[in-house]
Amino acid sequence: MAEHKLLTVTISRVDGAVFSGDVVSVQLPGIEGEMTILANHKPLISPLSAGTLTITKENGAKENFEITSGTLEISSNHATILI
């Protein structure tokens, strides 16, 4: 199997971290529609709307988080998601 390029993702709430690790992709509900973020994405800051945030791990496993709103920041191959 081909090796995936990975993106470091940190998902946090006011009261602490929800997830932190390297993933293949993250799908998020942006205010203008769904976004899929992959490794080496250009820098970006975007508000998020209510919906499902899905991370795909290197082994193909998916993990879902229901969110009501939030903010996404991508910089230096690291996505920080505040929900």
Side-chain angles (χ1 to χ4, degrees), residues 7-12 19-23 25-26 28 37-38 40-41 44 55 71-82:
L7 167 72
T8 301
V9 173
T10 302
I11 304 171
S12 297
F19 174 87
S20 184
D22 292 335
V23 303
S25 67
V26 59
L28 311 116
I37 307 299
L38 303 172
N40 301 314
H41 196 285
L44 171 72
I55 57 171
T71 303
L72 164 69
E73 178 189 10
I74 302 172
S75 178
S76 301
N77 204 40
H78 187 146
T80 302
I81 304 162
L82 305 174

Side-chain angles (χ1 to χ4, degrees), residues 32-48:
E32 293 187 17
E34 287 288 317
M35 295 186 280
T36 299
I37 307 299
L38 303 172
N40 301 314
H41 196 285
K42 295 214 181 249
L44 171 72
I45 296 175
S46 177
L48 303 174

Side-chain angles (χ1 to χ4, degrees), residues 57-70:
K57 299 178 182 178
E58 190 171 18
N59 65 3
K62 295 182 186 270
E63 193 168 341
N64 295 321
F65 303 90
E66 293 301 319
I67 66 171
T68 56
S69 65

